[in-house]
Structures are given as structure tokens and as C-alpha cells.
């Protein structure tokens, strides 16, 4: 007959001594930068939860007030009960007779502390304490990571593509910050059209926002945001980083074309030249980062007419006329510059309008001349009519005057006949 063997039950976890606990907490603070005071509070809470769990398993009442003392030399726990004549809340009150079994001098209305044997906790209680401590470590690390990445909001970060959803094309990007790592989500609509990345490739992204999630901070990033262009220019152009050149406005159609307006904050600086860089090196680096997206750099001006004319570059502009009462203007360009001013599918005019915030009506010089000729002809016709009306008015006036003279003559003759 086979001999059956019984597995020995694993011994219940033993709680560490206070000096051992504090030694471990100090090591944890050195390695993960989690304050000892923070972990002490978590351990106290863990012990309270463990005790309550232990008492529930044994169907015994637990006081609402459970106090824990934890120092480098001492660890103790006690329940506090309010002494009363008649118990109304069994989780907070104890009768006078029961209390005097523990302390003969206790009186009604006072609190009595009943020590708890921490070392007598069961396995489930010890596991509960362990889970609370682990959860405390994770929460602190997540909080630290959130604070770290939230400070990076509206900035550029470099990450590694580690997952691409084959259906939605959303990318998950691993971003490292010192010794910490987090996941950033680059949605398909935030990716530049035509760009293709593979898992393991590095990618530069603009941080739109950071919000808390169950598994750590979730970083929402973008490659299409206009401020991506702004941050790239701040990296490549020292004059912008130093405040000598200001990047005023940006209008962008990701993957195709962008327009930026800049102005010098100090005399003697060419803002456009500073952004273009020696031999076009600075803007070329940005264009390369954006995988060939064209960038027009124009000079910002307080004069709306000059600003609109500059925004329509590379087209030449003959004149800009503001429309009274509206944030709009009429622009006249040479005949051979009309298509350039409007751009392919209206892109140049559209970006210029977004850059300046003005509605722009573009006409060729010949079309403008034709319209002006029509206006001049209409004005001449109006003057003719006005002059004709003046002549007719004079004729009518003469007839009226002659009629009045005739009437006077007739009246005078009638009077003479009456007198006779």
C-alpha cells in the first residue's frame, strides 16, 4: 500500500522587527526616492487593515479607532473604546463592566486602550498588509512619474516606438525620463500623413497633455500640433531660444506646408535670416525632422497690409486694401502671380489667412483693372444722370417762372376790366 504524504503547511509570515523595517525603508528611499515617512504611514495603514481583516475572519468586533505606533525601536498597536453604561455602537463603545475587567479605575465617558498582539496576525492578514505596502510603493512611483512628466507638457520628447495597432494605426511610444519609463499614446489622427515608422525606431513628439491612469501617467503626444514646429525652431535657432527673435504665429497643414511669422526683438537682427540659418542649415534640419514638410518664414508686422502681403509669399503683391468694418482685405497681384498666390488647391491663400487671421480676397491685376473700369463707367453714368436731372430742373423752373408771369398779366387785365 502506497504511503501517502501530506504537505506541510507553510509557516505564517512573520513580521519584521522595527529596526529591520526602518533599515529596509532607508534602502528603499535611497534606491527609489520614496520617503521613509511616507512608507511608515503606509505600513501603519497596512497593519490596521490586516488587523481588521484578521478580526473579521474570526467574527470579532473591531474598534473604529485603531492606533499604531511605529518607530525605529518600537512597534505597537491598540484599539480605543469609549466606556459607556449601555452600548449603542459595538464598533466604538464598551460597557463599564467589561472595561473594568481590563482597568479597574476606568470611568464612563473615558477612552480605554486595549493592546493588540501584532505578531499574532494570521496569514491572510499578513498578506493584506503586504499588498497595502506594495500598493503604496506603486502609488508613490506613479505619483512621482506623473509630476515628472506633467512638467514636460507642451514640450518635445524623444521616445521609441514599441507597438503599432494594425487596425487603428495608433502608436504606443516608450518614453524614458532619467530612470523612469512611461508610455505615450500617438493616435493615428495625430500622426503626419505619409510618415511610416517601425517598432524600435526613435521618434520625436510634442506632449499635448499628461493625465493619470491606473498603470501610471498616460502621455498624449502629437506630430501634427503647430507647436511641434515652434519647439523645433526653439531647438535649432539660438536667437529664438534667447528671446532675440519672437515666433509670433504659426499656420500648419501637417506633412505638406507650414507658414511662420517672426519678428526681431532687437535692432540689427534679421529674423527671417536667423531662422533660415547659414546656407539654410537651420530650417533644413527642421524640414528633415518633418520629413520634407515645406516651411515659409515671413516677417510679422503691426501693419495688417504689410503682414498680409508678406504672408502670401512667395507670391508678389501689388496692393492690399482693408475692407472697412470687417477683418478682411482685397489683394491685387500680377497676372502671372495669381496661381502662386492662391497655391495648389488654395493652400497658400488658406495658410496666409490662418496666419494673419484676415479673410483674403485675391485678384489678378487685369481682373482688378476690369472691375475698376466697370466702377468708373458706372460712376460716369451716375454723374451724367445727375447732370441731366439738373438741366431738366432748370427747364422746369423756366416754364414755371413764365407761367407765373403770364398769370400775373392775366390777373392784372381782369382787375382793370372790373374797375372799368
Amino acid at each position: 500500500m502506497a504511503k501517502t504524504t501530506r504537505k506541510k503547511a507553510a509557516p505564517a509570515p512573520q513580521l519584521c522587527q522595527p529596526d529591520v523595517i526602518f533599515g529596509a525603508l532607508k534602502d528603499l528611499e535611497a534606491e527609489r526616492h520614496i520617503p521613509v515617512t511616507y512608507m511608515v504611514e503606509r505600513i501603519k495603514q497596512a497593519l490596521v487593515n490586516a488587523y481588521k481583516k484578521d478580526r473579521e475572519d474570526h467574527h470579532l468586533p473591531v474598534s473604529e479607532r485603531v492606533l499604531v505606533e511605529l518607530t525605529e525601536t518600537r512597534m505597537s498597536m491598540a484599539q480605543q473604546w469609549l466606556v459607556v453604561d449601555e452600548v449603542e455602537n459595538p464598533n466604538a463603545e464598551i460597557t463599564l463592566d467589561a472595561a473594568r475587567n481590563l482597568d479597574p479605575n476606568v470611568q464612563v465617558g473615558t477612552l480605554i486602550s486595549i493592546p493588540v498582539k501584532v505578531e499574532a496576525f494570521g496569514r491572510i492578514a499578513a498578506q493584506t498588509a503586504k499588498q497595502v505596502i506594495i500598493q503604496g510603493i506603486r502609488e508613490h512611483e506613479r505619483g512621482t512619474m506623473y509630476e515628472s512628466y506633467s512638467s514636460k507638457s507642451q514640450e518635445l520628447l524623444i521616445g521609441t516606438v514599441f507597438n503599432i495597432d494594425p487596425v487603428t494605426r495608433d502608436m504606443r511610444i516608450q518614453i524614458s525620463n532619467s530612470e523612469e519609463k512611461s508610455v505615450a499614446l500617438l493616435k493615428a489622427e495625430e500622426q503626419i500623413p505619409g510618415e511610416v515608422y517601425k517598432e524600435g525606431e526613435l521618434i520625436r513628439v510634442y506632449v499635448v497633455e499628461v493625465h493619470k491612469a491606473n498603470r501610471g501617467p498616460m502621455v498624449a503626444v502629437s506630430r501634427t500640433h503647430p507647436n511641434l514646429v515652434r519647439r523645433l525652431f526653439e531647438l535649432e535657432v539660438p536667437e529664438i531660444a534667447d528671446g532675440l527673435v519672437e515666433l509670433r504665429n504659426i499656420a500648419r497643414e501637417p506633412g505638406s506646408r507650414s507658414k511662420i511669422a517672426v519678428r526681431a526683438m532687437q535692432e540689427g537682427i534679421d529674423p527671417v535670416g536667423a531662422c533660415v540659418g547659414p546656407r539654410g542649415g537651420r530650417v533644413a534640419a527642421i524640414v528633415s525632422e518633418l520629413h520634407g514638410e515645406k516651411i515659409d518664414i515671413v516677417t510679422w508686422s503691426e501693419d495688417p497690409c504689410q503682414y498680409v502681403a508678406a504672408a502670401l509669399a512667395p507670391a508678389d503683391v501689388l496692393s492690399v486694401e482693408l475692407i472697412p468694418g470687417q477683418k478682411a482685405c482685397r489683394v491685387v497681384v500680377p497676372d502671372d502671380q495669381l496661381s502662386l498666390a492662391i497655391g495648389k488647391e488654395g493652400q497658400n491663400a488658406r495658410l496666409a489667412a490662418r496666419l494673419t487671421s484676415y479673410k483674403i480676397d485675391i485678384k489678378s491685376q487685369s481682373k482688378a483693372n476690369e472691375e475698376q473700369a466697370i466702377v468708373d463707367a458706372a460712376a460716369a453714368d451716375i454723374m451724367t444722370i445727375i447732370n441731366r436731372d439738373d438741366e431738366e430742373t432748370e427747364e422746369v423752373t423756366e416754364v414755371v417762372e413764365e407761367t407765373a408771369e403770364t398769370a400775373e398779366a392775366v390777373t392784372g387785365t381782369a382787375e382793370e376790366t372790373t374797375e372799368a
Side-chain angles (χ1 to χ4, degrees):
M1 183 176 179
K3 186 178 180 181
T4 58
T5 58
R6 294 182 180 179
K7 293 183 178 180
K8 294 183 179 179
Q14 298 296 318
L15 293 173
C16 297
Q17 295 301 314
D19 56 339
V20 177
I21 293 175
F22 271 84
L25 294 183
K26 291 176 180 178
D27 292 341
L28 188 64
E29 183 178 40
E31 293 177 4
R32 300 194 184 185
H33 309 291
I34 302 177
V36 171
T37 53
Y38 170 83
M39 286 308 303
V40 166
E41 293 303 318
R42 296 299 301 192
I43 291 174
K44 287 182 179 180
Q45 185 61 48
L47 292 173
V48 172
N49 291 351
Y51 175 66
K52 289 182 177 181
K53 183 69 175 178
D54 187 67
R55 300 290 280 187
E56 288 171 2
D57 292 341
H58 293 83
H59 307 288
L60 297 173
V62 180
S63 173
E64 294 174 350
R65 293 182 290 271
V66 180
L67 305 180
V68 178
E69 180 185 0
L70 179 57
T71 65
E72 294 191 41
T73 58
R74 175 180 173 80
M75 180 171 62
S76 64
M77 179 185 294
Q79 294 186 86
Q80 283 191 329
W81 302 84
L82 177 63
V83 180
V84 295
D85 288 324
E86 185 176 351
V87 174
E88 296 180 358
N89 183 359
N91 292 326
E93 300 171 346
I94 187 174
T95 63
L96 179 61
D97 291 339
R100 284 187 171 174
N101 290 331
L102 302 171
D103 183 359
N105 299 321
V106 73
Q107 300 295 327
V108 173
T110 61
L111 290 173
I112 183 172
S113 294
I114 302 178
V116 175
K117 292 183 178 181
V118 180
E119 61 275 7
F121 287 179
R123 170 175 291 277
I124 295 178
Q127 289 295 335
T128 301
K130 178 180 177 181
Q131 291 173 3
V132 172
I133 294 171
I134 292 174
Q135 183 65 24
I137 295 174
R138 289 175 178 172
E139 288 179 0
H140 186 276
E141 289 180 341
R142 289 169 185 168
T144 302
M145 290 176 65
Y146 173 77
E147 293 177 0
S148 175
Y149 282 105
S150 61
S151 65
K152 299 294 183 181
S153 182
Q154 318 301 317
E155 298 295 337
L156 291 181
L157 290 179
I158 297 178
T160 304
V161 179
F162 78 92
N163 178 263
I164 302 176
D165 192 307
V167 178
T168 63
R169 302 302 302 167
D170 292 347
M171 288 186 193
R172 293 190 178 275
I173 301 168
Q174 189 174 73
I175 299 176
S176 298
N177 185 8
S178 299
E179 299 178 355
E180 302 166 350
K181 293 182 179 180
S182 184
V183 175
L185 179 63
L186 180 62
K187 293 185 177 181
E189 58 268 25
E190 296 295 335
Q191 300 173 24
I192 296 177
E195 281 190 343
V196 178
Y197 283 91
K198 298 179 181 179
E199 293 182 4
E201 287 187 319
L202 293 177
I203 184 172
R204 193 190 298 269
V205 292
Y206 174 77
V207 180
V208 179
E209 62 178 351
V210 182
H211 54 87
K212 292 182 178 180
N214 293 332
R215 297 184 179 181
M218 179 57 70
V219 185
V221 296
S222 174
R223 289 274 297 169
T224 62
H225 201 286
N227 280 345
L228 174 68
V229 177
R230 181 185 297 275
R231 295 293 179 254
L232 289 174
F233 270 96
E234 289 174 354
L235 285 176
E236 294 292 337
V237 183
E239 290 83 352
I240 293 180
D242 295 339
L244 301 177
V245 173
E246 180 185 17
L247 202 163
R248 292 281 300 187
N249 297 322
I250 301 175
R252 186 184 183 202
E253 293 190 359
S256 179
R257 192 172 188 176
S258 292
K259 283 182 179 287
I260 69 169
V262 295
R263 71 165 176 173
M265 304 301 291
Q266 183 176 310
E267 293 185 3
I269 295 178
D270 176 13
V272 175
C275 294
V276 172
R279 299 182 181 179
R282 293 173 179 174
V283 71
I286 297 172
V287 170
S288 176
E289 172 63 34
L290 298 176
H291 292 174
E293 182 176 318
K294 297 179 180 178
I295 299 177
D296 296 334
I297 307 172
V298 303
T299 303
W300 181 86
S301 174
E302 293 182 354
D303 184 347
C305 294
Q306 292 183 10
Y307 189 23
V308 169
L312 286 170
D316 296 328
V317 174
L318 296 176
S319 65
V320 179
E321 178 186 358
L322 298 180
I323 299 176
Q326 303 179 43
K327 197 165 186 180
C329 60
R330 298 185 184 92
V331 175
V332 178
V333 299
D335 290 4
D336 61 349
Q337 297 282 300
L338 180 61
S339 60
L340 187 61
I342 296 175
K344 184 179 180 180
E345 298 179 352
Q347 185 185 65
N348 192 59
R350 185 168 58 250
L351 287 173
R354 286 163 53 187
L355 187 71
T356 61
S357 300
Y358 271 80
K359 184 178 179 181
I360 303 174
D361 179 22
I362 304 175
K363 289 183 174 60
S364 64
Q365 186 176 18
S366 59
K367 182 66 175 178
N369 291 339
E370 290 177 6
E371 292 180 354
Q372 188 61 43
I374 293 173
V375 171
D376 292 343
D381 291 341
I382 292 172
M383 292 303 299
T384 300
I385 293 172
I386 292 174
N387 293 334
R388 184 182 302 165
D389 290 343
D390 291 342
E391 293 175 358
E392 292 177 353
T393 301
E394 291 177 359
E395 292 176 359
V396 171
T397 302
E398 291 177 358
V399 171
V400 171
E401 290 176 351
E402 291 176 356
T403 302
E405 291 176 356
T406 303
E408 288 180 1
V410 172
T411 300
T413 303
E415 290 176 351
E416 291 175 359
T417 303
T418 301
E419 290 176 356

